[in-house]
Amino acid sequence: MQQAVHLSGSANDTAGNRSDCPHVVLPEELFFTISVIGVLENLMVLLAVIRNKNLQSPTYLFICSLAMSDMLGSLYKVLENVLIVLRNRGHLEPRGRFETTADDVVDSLFVLSLLGSICSLCVIAADRYLTIFHALQYPRIVTLRRAALVLAVIWACCTASGIAIVAFFHHVPTVIAFTALFPLMLAVTLCLYVHMFLLARSHARRTTTLPRANMRGALTLTVLLGVFIVCWAPFVLHVLLVTFCPADPYCACYMSLFQVNGMLIMCNAVIDPFIYAFRSPELRDAFKKMIFCSRSQ
């Protein structure tokens, strides 16, 4: 987010005389390349589900929601680079009204990506829980129409929240609410995991076998959640440090890694589609058909 970047810069100016940690600067071309790859990969996931009727199920609809979140996170950086190029070439007035509005829109995409990822992972966790332990009732409980309705409500709330967070990000309560979503998501998914583990152990004691496909889906969710935490946690910590200890030399030393933390976020959008393809034979086959059909044409 631009606000985090500006705050990070002023914080390091304040604490620069007490911190010997230099800023780690990564090439903008690297950010742009990884962001474009992330957009294209997640767009492939969306197209694969849209073009294959056998993938049009509630489970893959929730995966599409996560892919959309990842694509928005990559698109954020692409648009930001475009704005930087236009400003450097003199096509935009520095800190003018248009650039300020464009920055707010781009930042809203970034926040929407994080909120969408959090909500999508929670919904996928709930879907896995119902698939494994309420398999008989699952087709009646989770229909395609209900899944679409749930996602519509989630994205509407995320969009409104993203706009509000960007508008009031300079207020400490907003920062606290924004960063609190991260541990809250972990708490919710952890509760589901513990409950699933206890039920799975109970099923095992009764010699009831759980479907391998369902357990494979739970493992996929575990990998997705682990990658999400590794890639987003450093940025969330950065926001907290910028807010509560901007002048501390140790905080400033960590904040010098801001671009590395941003690169991790971009990598998350690139890694997730590989996890889908590796863990899902159906999606892997859909990718192969899309690639080979496009080559044959």
Side-chain angles (χ1 to χ4, degrees):
M1 291 177 65
Q2 292 297 324
Q3 290 94 330
V5 175
H6 299 327
L7 285 172
S8 176
S10 61
N12 280 280
D13 290 340
T14 304
N17 58 342
R18 288 177 289 168
S19 176
D20 296 328
C21 300
H23 277 285
V24 177
V25 180
L26 301 178
E28 284 295 331
E29 293 79 7
L30 181 60
F31 276 102
F32 184 78
T33 302
I34 294 179
S35 300
V36 170
I37 294 173
V39 170
L40 294 178
E41 284 186 357
N42 287 282
L43 185 60
M44 280 188 62
V45 174
L46 297 176
L47 291 176
V49 175
I50 293 173
R51 296 178 57 177
N52 292 270
K53 292 185 177 180
N54 60 321
L55 295 179
Q56 295 174 5
S57 64
T59 297
Y60 281 104
L61 196 61
F62 297 143
I63 289 178
C64 280
S65 177
L66 183 59
M68 178 66 73
S69 302
D70 288 336
M71 189 170 69
L72 289 178
S74 297
L75 187 61
Y76 144 81
K77 193 61 184 176
V78 172
L79 294 177
E80 184 184 61
N81 281 18
V82 170
L83 289 175
I84 292 174
V85 171
L86 292 176
R87 183 180 58 189
N88 291 341
R89 292 188 177 183
H91 298 296
L92 287 180
E93 179 185 354
R95 306 315 305 168
R97 184 174 181 180
F98 177 81
E99 185 184 5
T100 302
T101 303
D103 280 345
D104 290 339
V105 172
V106 170
D107 288 342
S108 297
L109 287 179
F110 179 82
V111 177
L112 181 59
S113 172
L114 175 58
L115 297 179
S117 296
I118 290 174
C119 293
S120 297
L121 286 169
C122 288
V123 171
I124 292 173
D127 179 69
R128 288 296 92 199
Y129 175 83
L130 292 173
T131 302
I132 295 173
F133 299 109
H134 299 278
L136 297 179
Q137 296 86 1
Y138 179 84
R140 179 175 54 85
I141 298 174
V142 186
T143 63
L144 195 61
R145 183 177 180 179
R146 288 179 179 176
L149 181 61
V150 168
L151 289 179
V153 172
I154 286 176
W155 278 95
C157 293
C158 288
T159 301
S161 300
I163 295 173
I165 288 173
V166 171
F168 300 100
F169 197 79
H170 54 283
H171 296 294
V172 174
T174 305
V175 176
I176 295 175
F178 174 72
T179 54
L181 291 173
F182 197 81
L184 181 62
M185 180 211 67
L186 295 182
V188 171
T189 52
L190 181 61
C191 290
L192 280 174
Y193 268 109
V194 170
H195 197 45
M196 280 193 284
F197 171 77
L198 294 176
L199 285 177
R201 189 173 64 175
S202 176
H203 279 233
R205 287 177 177 175
R206 296 198 302 267
T207 66
T208 303
T209 58
L210 296 174
R212 290 186 61 184
N214 292 344
M215 296 308 297
R216 185 172 64 244
L219 182 57
T220 301
L221 172 62
T222 305
V223 177
L224 288 171
L225 184 61
V227 171
F228 176 80
I229 293 172
V230 170
C231 293
W232 279 92
F235 171 79
V236 175
L237 178 59
H238 173 93
V239 174
L240 288 174
L241 296 182
V242 167
T243 304
F244 294 106
C245 62
D248 185 272
Y250 295 104
C251 295
C253 197
Y254 178 83
M255 287 186 288
S256 66
L257 301 173
F258 178 75
Q259 290 200 2
V260 177
N261 299 337
M263 182 60 68
L264 285 175
I265 295 174
M266 299 299 104
C267 290
N268 181 41
V270 175
I271 294 172
D272 279 354
F274 283 103
I275 298 174
Y276 307 146
F278 181 75
R279 301 295 307 173
S280 172
E282 298 86 358
L283 196 56
R284 193 161 57 244
D285 291 339
F287 285 157
K288 290 179 181 178
K289 290 179 181 178
M290 289 177 60
I291 295 173
F292 290 134
C293 285
S294 61
R295 285 181 178 177
S296 61
Q297 293 175 356

